[in-house]
Amino acid sequence: DSGVTQTPKHLITATGQRVTLRCSPRSGDLSVYWYQQSLDQGLQFLIHYYNGEERAKGNILERFSAQQFPDLHSELNLSSLELGDSALYFCASSVSVDGNTIYFGEGSWLTVV
Amino acid sequence: AQSVTQLDSQVPVFEEAPVELRCNYSSSVSVYLFWYVQYPNQGLQLLLKYLSGSTLVKSINGFEAEFNKSQTSFHLRKPSVHISDTAEYFCAVSDKQQGAQKLVFGQGTRLTINP
């Protein structure tokens, strides 16, 4: 158990819908990262937040957005869902902004039908 | 831009045999290197990491990896594998200078242990 908690573990939704994935980082970690794992793209970095502020963006679509709240939990919002958005979405956390080790949660499986 | 190449998508080996999973990275700056393992239907777990110092790093379950700067490689090895090592293994690199931990992952190597 990495200490990073993600909910829901599994989610099935229809195209065009919007979902929110939630992440609670390890106790004391200020950085939260979101990654997407799909069959065709592999593991890709989406976005990084540190203590509530966005620090880096990767291959995150405009239909996707994220935020980190004062209690340090984070949410990834996916809207206008398409079949290709079906993937495993990982949240990870680390103690600092340049933490050299990040710990991953077990992921949220999103299936878009 | 950084990239990671895992040279084998699948590696089948017999139990108790040695194994090497190959990883090469492309980066013009100093890097951190990682191996993560993903067991079936589970999340990513950190297996081992190279940050600085000794180029040979070890995990608690018998894996080791050696950072070779001249060959830009970080191959993962285990002298004797067990059925329980069946998993997908991901090599990853991050840029020390970026200040934000953006990991770039390889495509993964599926390790299958046969009895």
Side-chain angles (χ1 to χ4, degrees):
Chain A
D1 184 2
S2 67
V4 179
T5 303
Q6 292 187 244
T7 57
K9 292 194 186 311
H10 300 273
L11 187 58
I12 301 175
T13 190
T15 54
Q17 295 298 305
R18 172 190 170 94
V19 299
T20 297
L21 309 181
R22 193 179 192 279
C23 170
S24 294
R26 295 187 320 156
S27 178
D29 284 0
L30 299 178
S31 273
V32 170
Y33 312 81
W34 287 97
Y35 283 80
Q36 179 195 58
Q37 185 180 31
S38 62
L39 284 175
D40 53 347
Q41 299 290 332
L43 269 161
Q44 290 197 93
F45 167 73
L46 295 179
I47 198 163
H48 169 212
Y49 277 85
Y50 175 75
N51 204 20
E53 293 187 5
E54 182 185 305
R55 296 304 298 259
K57 261 187 176 180
N59 299 320
I60 188 166
L61 300 172
E62 286 191 8
R63 300 183 285 108
F64 296 179
S65 65
Q67 54 183 329
Q68 186 180 26
F69 295 87
D71 67 352
L72 301 177
H73 91 272
S74 177
E75 292 181 355
L76 179 67
N77 300 296
L78 315 174
S79 61
S80 303
L81 286 167
E82 302 175 358
L83 296 177
D85 298 327
S86 296
L88 181 57
Y89 291 85
F90 283 112
C91 173
S93 73
S94 68
V95 66
S96 61
V97 67
D98 58 353
N100 51 43
T101 302
I102 66 174
Y103 295 90
F104 284 79
E106 296 205 344
S108 291
W109 280 99
L110 173 65
T111 302
V112 182
V113 296
Chain B
Q2 296 168 342
S3 65
V4 176
T5 302
Q6 291 184 242
L7 296 160
D8 306 294
S9 59
Q10 296 187 58
V11 174
V13 296
F14 288 106
E15 194 171 16
E16 298 184 7
V19 69
E20 178 181 79
L21 307 184
R22 297 178 292 169
C23 171
N24 286 91
Y25 68 93
S26 171
S27 176
S28 60
V29 298
S30 296
V31 296
Y32 297 130
L33 292 158
F34 306 84
W35 276 98
Y36 281 85
V37 58
Q38 186 175 28
Y39 297 104
N41 300 313
Q42 294 189 27
L44 289 167
Q45 298 176 29
L46 179 65
L47 187 59
L48 46 75
K49 60 186 177 183
Y50 169 78
L51 305 178
S52 64
S54 172
T55 57
L56 183 65
V57 292
K58 299 184 179 185
S59 72
I60 59 173
N61 58 352
F63 283 93
E64 64 181 35
E66 185 156 21
F67 169 54
N68 187 319
K69 188 175 182 179
S70 62
Q71 297 185 7
T72 60
S73 68
F74 191 56
H75 301 331
L76 181 70
R77 302 183 183 94
K78 188 170 185 180
S80 175
V81 296
H82 302 284
I83 292 285
S84 59
D85 293 324
T86 296
E88 188 141 19
Y89 293 79
F90 293 91
C91 182
V93 62
S94 70
D95 178 356
K96 283 185 183 180
Q97 295 179 354
Q98 276 195 336
Q101 187 71 355
K102 175 185 172 182
L103 285 172
V104 176
F105 283 90
Q107 286 297 101
T109 297
R110 187 172 299 276
L111 178 61
T112 304
I113 313 299
N114 299 306

mmCIF file of all heavy atoms in Angstrom, chain A residues 4-48:
data_model
loop_
_atom_site.group_PDB
_atom_site.id
_atom_site.type_symbol
_atom_site.label_atom_id
_atom_site.label_comp_id
_atom_site.label_asym_id
_atom_site.label_seq_id
_atom_site.Cartn_x
_atom_site.Cartn_y
_atom_site.Cartn_z
ATOM 1 N N VAL A 4 -1.323 6.322 -1.237
ATOM 2 C CA VAL A 4 -2.074 7.196 -2.140
ATOM 3 C C VAL A 4 -3.420 6.526 -2.422
ATOM 4 O O VAL A 4 -3.454 5.370 -2.848
ATOM 5 C CB VAL A 4 -1.317 7.422 -3.457
ATOM 6 C CG1 VAL A 4 -2.133 8.308 -4.392
ATOM 7 C CG2 VAL A 4 0.059 8.021 -3.182
ATOM 8 N N THR A 5 -4.495 7.237 -2.184
ATOM 9 C CA THR A 5 -5.835 6.664 -2.312
ATOM 10 C C THR A 5 -6.569 7.288 -3.483
ATOM 11 O O THR A 5 -6.641 8.526 -3.581
ATOM 12 C CB THR A 5 -6.638 6.901 -1.022
ATOM 13 O OG1 THR A 5 -5.921 6.347 0.079
ATOM 14 C CG2 THR A 5 -7.999 6.214 -1.120
ATOM 15 N N GLN A 6 -7.112 6.431 -4.339
ATOM 16 C CA GLN A 6 -7.855 6.922 -5.491
ATOM 17 C C GLN A 6 -9.271 6.342 -5.479
ATOM 18 O O GLN A 6 -9.460 5.157 -5.182
ATOM 19 C CB GLN A 6 -7.175 6.512 -6.797
ATOM 20 C CG GLN A 6 -5.842 7.202 -7.037
ATOM 21 C CD GLN A 6 -5.314 6.895 -8.415
ATOM 22 O OE1 GLN A 6 -4.264 6.261 -8.561
ATOM 23 N NE2 GLN A 6 -6.005 7.360 -9.441
ATOM 24 N N THR A 7 -10.215 7.199 -5.822
ATOM 25 C CA THR A 7 -11.600 6.739 -5.979
ATOM 26 C C THR A 7 -12.214 7.386 -7.213
ATOM 27 O O THR A 7 -11.820 8.513 -7.576
ATOM 28 C CB THR A 7 -12.450 7.103 -4.743
ATOM 29 O OG1 THR A 7 -12.388 8.524 -4.528
ATOM 30 C CG2 THR A 7 -11.970 6.369 -3.516
ATOM 31 N N PRO A 8 -13.132 6.714 -7.888
ATOM 32 C CA PRO A 8 -13.493 5.311 -7.699
ATOM 33 C C PRO A 8 -12.437 4.393 -8.309
ATOM 34 O O PRO A 8 -11.585 4.838 -9.057
ATOM 35 C CB PRO A 8 -14.810 5.213 -8.472
ATOM 36 C CG PRO A 8 -14.640 6.190 -9.601
ATOM 37 C CD PRO A 8 -13.856 7.344 -9.013
ATOM 38 N N LYS A 9 -12.490 3.130 -8.002
ATOM 39 C CA LYS A 9 -11.546 2.177 -8.585
ATOM 40 C C LYS A 9 -11.956 1.815 -10.010
ATOM 41 O O LYS A 9 -11.104 1.583 -10.869
ATOM 42 C CB LYS A 9 -11.458 0.918 -7.729
ATOM 43 C CG LYS A 9 -10.826 1.147 -6.386
ATOM 44 C CD LYS A 9 -10.450 -0.154 -5.716
ATOM 45 C CE LYS A 9 -9.935 0.054 -4.307
ATOM 46 N NZ LYS A 9 -8.907 1.081 -4.210
ATOM 47 N N HIS A 10 -13.238 1.743 -10.227
ATOM 48 C CA HIS A 10 -13.757 1.418 -11.553
ATOM 49 C C HIS A 10 -14.924 2.346 -11.868
ATOM 50 O O HIS A 10 -15.718 2.675 -10.979
ATOM 51 C CB HIS A 10 -14.251 -0.033 -11.623
ATOM 52 C CG HIS A 10 -13.194 -1.036 -11.346
ATOM 53 N ND1 HIS A 10 -12.365 -1.529 -12.328
ATOM 54 C CD2 HIS A 10 -12.820 -1.636 -10.188
ATOM 55 C CE1 HIS A 10 -11.532 -2.394 -11.785
ATOM 56 N NE2 HIS A 10 -11.781 -2.474 -10.500
ATOM 57 N N LEU A 11 -15.020 2.734 -13.131
ATOM 58 C CA LEU A 11 -16.087 3.639 -13.544
ATOM 59 C C LEU A 11 -16.422 3.349 -14.997
ATOM 60 O O LEU A 11 -15.527 3.288 -15.845
ATOM 61 C CB LEU A 11 -15.619 5.082 -13.371
ATOM 62 C CG LEU A 11 -16.601 6.219 -13.581
ATOM 63 C CD1 LEU A 11 -17.782 6.079 -12.645
ATOM 64 C CD2 LEU A 11 -15.902 7.551 -13.357
ATOM 65 N N ILE A 12 -17.711 3.159 -15.263
ATOM 66 C CA ILE A 12 -18.163 2.987 -16.635
ATOM 67 C C ILE A 12 -19.135 4.115 -16.931
ATOM 68 O O ILE A 12 -20.071 4.349 -16.168
ATOM 69 C CB ILE A 12 -18.863 1.631 -16.836
ATOM 70 C CG1 ILE A 12 -17.909 0.481 -16.484
ATOM 71 C CG2 ILE A 12 -19.357 1.490 -18.271
ATOM 72 C CD1 ILE A 12 -18.553 -0.897 -16.526
ATOM 73 N N THR A 13 -18.907 4.796 -18.037
ATOM 74 C CA THR A 13 -19.764 5.915 -18.374
ATOM 75 C C THR A 13 -19.926 5.995 -19.888
ATOM 76 O O THR A 13 -19.206 5.332 -20.639
ATOM 77 C CB THR A 13 -19.190 7.230 -17.812
ATOM 78 O OG1 THR A 13 -20.158 8.267 -17.949
ATOM 79 C CG2 THR A 13 -17.920 7.623 -18.556
ATOM 80 N N ALA A 14 -20.852 6.805 -20.325
ATOM 81 C CA ALA A 14 -21.155 6.908 -21.751
ATOM 82 C C ALA A 14 -20.391 8.067 -22.392
ATOM 83 O O ALA A 14 -19.958 8.999 -21.707
ATOM 84 C CB ALA A 14 -22.659 7.095 -21.943
ATOM 85 N N THR A 15 -20.266 7.972 -23.699
ATOM 86 C CA THR A 15 -19.614 9.067 -24.422
ATOM 87 C C THR A 15 -20.377 10.362 -24.202
ATOM 88 O O THR A 15 -21.600 10.364 -24.035
ATOM 89 C CB THR A 15 -19.553 8.776 -25.936
ATOM 90 O OG1 THR A 15 -20.886 8.483 -26.401
ATOM 91 C CG2 THR A 15 -18.645 7.600 -26.231
ATOM 92 N N GLY A 16 -19.634 11.441 -24.142
ATOM 93 C CA GLY A 16 -20.224 12.752 -23.940
ATOM 94 C C GLY A 16 -20.396 13.146 -22.496
ATOM 95 O O GLY A 16 -20.663 14.319 -22.202
ATOM 96 N N GLN A 17 -20.244 12.198 -21.601
ATOM 97 C CA GLN A 17 -20.450 12.478 -20.182
ATOM 98 C C GLN A 17 -19.201 13.097 -19.544
ATOM 99 O O GLN A 17 -18.132 13.214 -20.165
ATOM 100 C CB GLN A 17 -20.820 11.186 -19.440
ATOM 101 C CG GLN A 17 -22.151 10.594 -19.871
ATOM 102 C CD GLN A 17 -23.306 11.547 -19.594
ATOM 103 O OE1 GLN A 17 -23.511 12.000 -18.461
ATOM 104 N NE2 GLN A 17 -24.065 11.867 -20.625
ATOM 105 N N ARG A 18 -19.371 13.445 -18.278
ATOM 106 C CA ARG A 18 -18.285 14.038 -17.501
ATOM 107 C C ARG A 18 -18.101 13.227 -16.230
ATOM 108 O O ARG A 18 -19.084 12.791 -15.629
ATOM 109 C CB ARG A 18 -18.646 15.479 -17.146
ATOM 110 C CG ARG A 18 -17.708 16.176 -16.185
ATOM 111 C CD ARG A 18 -18.318 17.507 -15.729
ATOM 112 N NE ARG A 18 -17.583 18.099 -14.636
ATOM 113 C CZ ARG A 18 -16.614 19.003 -14.784
ATOM 114 N NH1 ARG A 18 -16.272 19.406 -15.991
ATOM 115 N NH2 ARG A 18 -15.990 19.500 -13.728
ATOM 116 N N VAL A 19 -16.839 12.992 -15.853
ATOM 117 C CA VAL A 19 -16.554 12.260 -14.617
ATOM 118 C C VAL A 19 -15.491 12.997 -13.815
ATOM 119 O O VAL A 19 -14.724 13.796 -14.367
ATOM 120 C CB VAL A 19 -16.084 10.811 -14.889
ATOM 121 C CG1 VAL A 19 -17.152 10.016 -15.616
ATOM 122 C CG2 VAL A 19 -14.766 10.803 -15.643
ATOM 123 N N THR A 20 -15.455 12.705 -12.539
ATOM 124 C CA THR A 20 -14.434 13.267 -11.657
ATOM 125 C C THR A 20 -13.733 12.135 -10.928
ATOM 126 O O THR A 20 -14.384 11.293 -10.314
ATOM 127 C CB THR A 20 -15.060 14.230 -10.638
ATOM 128 O OG1 THR A 20 -15.647 15.336 -11.334
ATOM 129 C CG2 THR A 20 -13.991 14.750 -9.672
ATOM 130 N N LEU A 21 -12.429 12.122 -11.018
ATOM 131 C CA LEU A 21 -11.612 11.146 -10.308
ATOM 132 C C LEU A 21 -10.942 11.861 -9.139
ATOM 133 O O LEU A 21 -10.457 12.972 -9.275
ATOM 134 C CB LEU A 21 -10.546 10.567 -11.249
ATOM 135 C CG LEU A 21 -11.052 10.030 -12.591
ATOM 136 C CD1 LEU A 21 -9.897 9.468 -13.406
ATOM 137 C CD2 LEU A 21 -12.122 8.974 -12.371
ATOM 138 N N ARG A 22 -10.908 11.162 -8.023
ATOM 139 C CA ARG A 22 -10.412 11.789 -6.806
ATOM 140 C C ARG A 22 -9.153 11.100 -6.302
ATOM 141 O O ARG A 22 -9.009 9.884 -6.443
ATOM 142 C CB ARG A 22 -11.493 11.741 -5.733
ATOM 143 C CG ARG A 22 -11.256 12.619 -4.520
ATOM 144 C CD ARG A 22 -12.407 12.497 -3.528
ATOM 145 N NE ARG A 22 -12.368 13.511 -2.487
ATOM 146 C CZ ARG A 22 -11.606 13.454 -1.397
ATOM 147 N NH1 ARG A 22 -10.826 12.410 -1.206
ATOM 148 N NH2 ARG A 22 -11.629 14.428 -0.503
ATOM 149 N N CYS A 23 -8.285 11.898 -5.710
ATOM 150 C CA CYS A 23 -7.018 11.374 -5.208
ATOM 151 C C CYS A 23 -6.662 12.013 -3.877
ATOM 152 O O CYS A 23 -6.681 13.244 -3.738
ATOM 153 C CB CYS A 23 -5.901 11.660 -6.213
ATOM 154 S SG CYS A 23 -4.230 11.330 -5.606
ATOM 155 N N SER A 24 -6.315 11.177 -2.900
ATOM 156 C CA SER A 24 -5.765 11.668 -1.646
ATOM 157 C C SER A 24 -4.305 11.266 -1.575
ATOM 158 O O SER A 24 -3.986 10.065 -1.633
ATOM 159 C CB SER A 24 -6.518 11.073 -0.457
ATOM 160 O OG SER A 24 -7.841 11.532 -0.427
ATOM 161 N N PRO A 25 -3.391 12.227 -1.484
ATOM 162 C CA PRO A 25 -1.969 11.883 -1.461
ATOM 163 C C PRO A 25 -1.561 11.244 -0.140
ATOM 164 O O PRO A 25 -2.336 11.204 0.810
ATOM 165 C CB PRO A 25 -1.284 13.244 -1.649
ATOM 166 C CG PRO A 25 -2.255 14.221 -1.064
ATOM 167 C CD PRO A 25 -3.616 13.666 -1.368
ATOM 168 N N ARG A 26 -0.351 10.753 -0.099
ATOM 169 C CA ARG A 26 0.203 10.229 1.151
ATOM 170 C C ARG A 26 0.260 11.354 2.167
ATOM 171 O O ARG A 26 0.452 12.522 1.816
ATOM 172 C CB ARG A 26 1.621 9.685 0.933
ATOM 173 C CG ARG A 26 1.731 8.507 0.033
ATOM 174 C CD ARG A 26 3.155 7.954 0.019
ATOM 175 N NE ARG A 26 4.164 8.996 0.015
ATOM 176 C CZ ARG A 26 5.408 8.850 0.446
ATOM 177 N NH1 ARG A 26 5.802 7.692 0.933
ATOM 178 N NH2 ARG A 26 6.280 9.837 0.386
ATOM 179 N N SER A 27 0.117 10.977 3.421
ATOM 180 C CA SER A 27 0.174 11.970 4.484
ATOM 181 C C SER A 27 1.493 12.748 4.419
ATOM 182 O O SER A 27 2.574 12.144 4.370
ATOM 183 C CB SER A 27 0.065 11.259 5.839
ATOM 184 O OG SER A 27 0.172 12.177 6.895
ATOM 185 N N GLY A 28 1.389 14.066 4.376
ATOM 186 C CA GLY A 28 2.586 14.908 4.352
ATOM 187 C C GLY A 28 3.076 15.263 2.962
ATOM 188 O O GLY A 28 3.938 16.143 2.813
ATOM 189 N N ASP A 29 2.551 14.590 1.932
ATOM 190 C CA ASP A 29 3.000 14.908 0.569
ATOM 191 C C ASP A 29 2.263 16.134 0.044
ATOM 192 O O ASP A 29 1.030 16.209 0.133
ATOM 193 C CB ASP A 29 2.760 13.723 -0.365
ATOM 194 C CG ASP A 29 3.774 12.615 -0.170
ATOM 195 O OD1 ASP A 29 4.671 12.772 0.698
ATOM 196 O OD2 ASP A 29 3.688 11.596 -0.885
ATOM 197 N N LEU A 30 3.000 17.056 -0.547
ATOM 198 C CA LEU A 30 2.418 18.279 -1.071
ATOM 199 C C LEU A 30 2.218 18.236 -2.583
ATOM 200 O O LEU A 30 1.478 19.039 -3.137
ATOM 201 C CB LEU A 30 3.303 19.484 -0.718
ATOM 202 C CG LEU A 30 3.500 19.741 0.779
ATOM 203 C CD1 LEU A 30 4.421 20.927 0.993
ATOM 204 C CD2 LEU A 30 2.174 19.994 1.472
ATOM 205 N N SER A 31 2.931 17.344 -3.243
ATOM 206 C CA SER A 31 2.831 17.234 -4.694
ATOM 207 C C SER A 31 1.895 16.108 -5.098
ATOM 208 O O SER A 31 1.933 15.020 -4.517
ATOM 209 C CB SER A 31 4.206 16.939 -5.307
ATOM 210 O OG SER A 31 4.919 18.109 -5.560
ATOM 211 N N VAL A 32 1.069 16.401 -6.096
ATOM 212 C CA VAL A 32 0.186 15.390 -6.675
ATOM 213 C C VAL A 32 0.378 15.398 -8.193
ATOM 214 O O VAL A 32 0.480 16.463 -8.812
ATOM 215 C CB VAL A 32 -1.292 15.681 -6.341
ATOM 216 C CG1 VAL A 32 -2.202 14.771 -7.148
ATOM 217 C CG2 VAL A 32 -1.551 15.475 -4.855
ATOM 218 N N TYR A 33 0.443 14.213 -8.742
ATOM 219 C CA TYR A 33 0.635 14.047 -10.177
ATOM 220 C C TYR A 33 -0.492 13.172 -10.723
ATOM 221 O O TYR A 33 -0.958 12.252 -10.040
ATOM 222 C CB TYR A 33 1.971 13.343 -10.477
ATOM 223 C CG TYR A 33 3.155 13.909 -9.752
ATOM 224 C CD1 TYR A 33 3.412 13.562 -8.420
ATOM 225 C CD2 TYR A 33 4.029 14.782 -10.373
ATOM 226 C CE1 TYR A 33 4.504 14.084 -7.740
ATOM 227 C CE2 TYR A 33 5.133 15.292 -9.703
ATOM 228 C CZ TYR A 33 5.354 14.941 -8.393
ATOM 229 O OH TYR A 33 6.447 15.456 -7.725
ATOM 230 N N TRP A 34 -0.855 13.407 -11.963
ATOM 231 C CA TRP A 34 -1.811 12.538 -12.643
ATOM 232 C C TRP A 34 -1.153 11.961 -13.895
ATOM 233 O O TRP A 34 -0.494 12.689 -14.661
ATOM 234 C CB TRP A 34 -3.072 13.307 -13.040
ATOM 235 C CG TRP A 34 -3.957 13.632 -11.887
ATOM 236 C CD1 TRP A 34 -4.010 14.797 -11.182
ATOM 237 C CD2 TRP A 34 -4.949 12.768 -11.302
ATOM 238 N NE1 TRP A 34 -4.957 14.709 -10.187
ATOM 239 C CE2 TRP A 34 -5.547 13.477 -10.248
ATOM 240 C CE3 TRP A 34 -5.385 11.467 -11.565
ATOM 241 C CZ2 TRP A 34 -6.569 12.935 -9.452
ATOM 242 C CZ3 TRP A 34 -6.387 10.936 -10.786
ATOM 243 C CH2 TRP A 34 -6.972 11.660 -9.737
ATOM 244 N N TYR A 35 -1.352 10.650 -14.066
ATOM 245 C CA TYR A 35 -0.843 9.943 -15.233
ATOM 246 C C TYR A 35 -1.987 9.143 -15.854
ATOM 247 O O TYR A 35 -2.901 8.702 -15.171
ATOM 248 C CB TYR A 35 0.280 8.970 -14.847
ATOM 249 C CG TYR A 35 1.609 9.617 -14.590
ATOM 250 C CD1 TYR A 35 1.874 10.230 -13.378
ATOM 251 C CD2 TYR A 35 2.595 9.623 -15.571
ATOM 252 C CE1 TYR A 35 3.097 10.839 -13.144
ATOM 253 C CE2 TYR A 35 3.822 10.229 -15.342
ATOM 254 C CZ TYR A 35 4.061 10.831 -14.131
ATOM 255 O OH TYR A 35 5.274 11.425 -13.900
ATOM 256 N N GLN A 36 -1.877 8.934 -17.160
ATOM 257 C CA GLN A 36 -2.852 8.117 -17.881
ATOM 258 C C GLN A 36 -2.127 6.910 -18.468
ATOM 259 O O GLN A 36 -1.055 7.057 -19.066
ATOM 260 C CB GLN A 36 -3.488 8.936 -19.005
ATOM 261 C CG GLN A 36 -4.505 8.182 -19.844
ATOM 262 C CD GLN A 36 -4.815 8.912 -21.137
ATOM 263 O OE1 GLN A 36 -3.926 9.180 -21.929
ATOM 264 N NE2 GLN A 36 -6.088 9.241 -21.339
ATOM 265 N N GLN A 37 -2.712 5.740 -18.281
ATOM 266 C CA GLN A 37 -2.152 4.534 -18.888
ATOM 267 C C GLN A 37 -3.173 3.949 -19.849
ATOM 268 O O GLN A 37 -4.243 3.496 -19.448
ATOM 269 C CB GLN A 37 -1.773 3.496 -17.831
ATOM 270 C CG GLN A 37 -1.084 2.271 -18.422
ATOM 271 C CD GLN A 37 -0.706 1.249 -17.375
ATOM 272 O OE1 GLN A 37 -1.383 1.115 -16.348
ATOM 273 N NE2 GLN A 37 0.381 0.526 -17.598
ATOM 274 N N SER A 38 -2.846 3.955 -21.128
ATOM 275 C CA SER A 38 -3.737 3.376 -22.129
ATOM 276 C C SER A 38 -2.945 2.405 -22.985
ATOM 277 O O SER A 38 -1.709 2.458 -23.026
ATOM 278 C CB SER A 38 -4.355 4.472 -23.006
ATOM 279 O OG SER A 38 -3.338 5.159 -23.723
ATOM 280 N N LEU A 39 -3.663 1.541 -23.666
ATOM 281 C CA LEU A 39 -3.001 0.502 -24.459
ATOM 282 C C LEU A 39 -2.175 1.099 -25.584
ATOM 283 O O LEU A 39 -1.075 0.628 -25.878
ATOM 284 C CB LEU A 39 -4.041 -0.466 -25.014
ATOM 285 C CG LEU A 39 -4.610 -1.471 -24.017
ATOM 286 C CD1 LEU A 39 -5.712 -2.290 -24.669
ATOM 287 C CD2 LEU A 39 -3.510 -2.369 -23.472
ATOM 288 N N ASP A 40 -2.699 2.141 -26.221
ATOM 289 C CA ASP A 40 -1.981 2.670 -27.377
ATOM 290 C C ASP A 40 -0.927 3.710 -27.017
ATOM 291 O O ASP A 40 0.113 3.805 -27.677
ATOM 292 C CB ASP A 40 -2.974 3.251 -28.397
ATOM 293 C CG ASP A 40 -3.918 4.258 -27.758
ATOM 294 O OD1 ASP A 40 -3.974 4.317 -26.512
ATOM 295 O OD2 ASP A 40 -4.600 4.973 -28.503
ATOM 296 N N GLN A 41 -1.132 4.466 -25.951
ATOM 297 C CA GLN A 41 -0.194 5.537 -25.592
ATOM 298 C C GLN A 41 0.743 5.178 -24.453
ATOM 299 O O GLN A 41 1.704 5.898 -24.195
ATOM 300 C CB GLN A 41 -0.976 6.802 -25.206
ATOM 301 C CG GLN A 41 -1.837 7.358 -26.314
ATOM 302 C CD GLN A 41 -1.025 7.969 -27.423
ATOM 303 O OE1 GLN A 41 0.097 8.458 -27.210
ATOM 304 N NE2 GLN A 41 -1.545 7.929 -28.634
ATOM 305 N N GLY A 42 0.481 4.071 -23.776
ATOM 306 C CA GLY A 42 1.315 3.718 -22.634
ATOM 307 C C GLY A 42 1.038 4.647 -21.463
ATOM 308 O O GLY A 42 -0.057 5.174 -21.314
ATOM 309 N N LEU A 43 2.049 4.851 -20.637
ATOM 310 C CA LEU A 43 1.941 5.701 -19.452
ATOM 311 C C LEU A 43 2.370 7.118 -19.810
ATOM 312 O O LEU A 43 3.499 7.346 -20.208
ATOM 313 C CB LEU A 43 2.843 5.185 -18.348
ATOM 314 C CG LEU A 43 2.251 4.206 -17.364
ATOM 315 C CD1 LEU A 43 3.346 3.457 -16.638
ATOM 316 C CD2 LEU A 43 1.373 4.940 -16.356
ATOM 317 N N GLN A 44 1.448 8.069 -19.619
ATOM 318 C CA GLN A 44 1.768 9.443 -19.972
ATOM 319 C C GLN A 44 1.475 10.373 -18.812
ATOM 320 O O GLN A 44 0.427 10.283 -18.173
ATOM 321 C CB GLN A 44 0.946 9.896 -21.180
ATOM 322 C CG GLN A 44 1.335 9.228 -22.476
ATOM 323 C CD GLN A 44 0.782 10.003 -23.639
ATOM 324 O OE1 GLN A 44 1.447 10.868 -24.206
ATOM 325 N NE2 GLN A 44 -0.436 9.694 -23.999
ATOM 326 N N PHE A 45 2.363 11.306 -18.589
ATOM 327 C CA PHE A 45 2.197 12.336 -17.575
ATOM 328 C C PHE A 45 1.136 13.333 -18.028
ATOM 329 O O PHE A 45 1.151 13.796 -19.176
ATOM 330 C CB PHE A 45 3.534 13.044 -17.366
ATOM 331 C CG PHE A 45 3.466 14.313 -16.577
ATOM 332 C CD1 PHE A 45 3.254 14.284 -15.206
ATOM 333 C CD2 PHE A 45 3.602 15.544 -17.199
ATOM 334 C CE1 PHE A 45 3.200 15.462 -14.473
ATOM 335 C CE2 PHE A 45 3.558 16.717 -16.475
ATOM 336 C CZ PHE A 45 3.352 16.673 -15.105
ATOM 337 N N LEU A 46 0.216 13.653 -17.157
ATOM 338 C CA LEU A 46 -0.830 14.614 -17.482
ATOM 339 C C LEU A 46 -0.569 15.981 -16.846
ATOM 340 O O LEU A 46 -0.500 16.989 -17.535
ATOM 341 C CB LEU A 46 -2.197 14.093 -17.029
ATOM 342 C CG LEU A 46 -2.713 12.836 -17.723
ATOM 343 C CD1 LEU A 46 -4.069 12.433 -17.155
ATOM 344 C CD2 LEU A 46 -2.807 13.033 -19.229
ATOM 345 N N ILE A 47 -0.424 15.994 -15.506
ATOM 346 C CA ILE A 47 -0.324 17.276 -14.834
ATOM 347 C C ILE A 47 0.237 17.087 -13.427
ATOM 348 O O ILE A 47 0.127 16.013 -12.858
ATOM 349 C CB ILE A 47 -1.708 17.966 -14.795
ATOM 350 C CG1 ILE A 47 -1.591 19.462 -14.518
ATOM 351 C CG2 ILE A 47 -2.646 17.263 -13.810
ATOM 352 C CD1 ILE A 47 -2.849 20.236 -14.879
ATOM 353 N N HIS A 48 0.869 18.156 -12.912
ATOM 354 C CA HIS A 48 1.471 18.134 -11.585
ATOM 355 C C HIS A 48 1.017 19.361 -10.807
ATOM 356 O O HIS A 48 1.074 20.478 -11.315
ATOM 357 C CB HIS A 48 3.002 18.125 -11.727
ATOM 358 C CG HIS A 48 3.756 18.356 -10.459
ATOM 359 N ND1 HIS A 48 4.977 18.993 -10.426
ATOM 360 C CD2 HIS A 48 3.468 18.036 -9.175
ATOM 361 C CE1 HIS A 48 5.412 19.052 -9.176
ATOM 362 N NE2 HIS A 48 4.516 18.486 -8.397
#
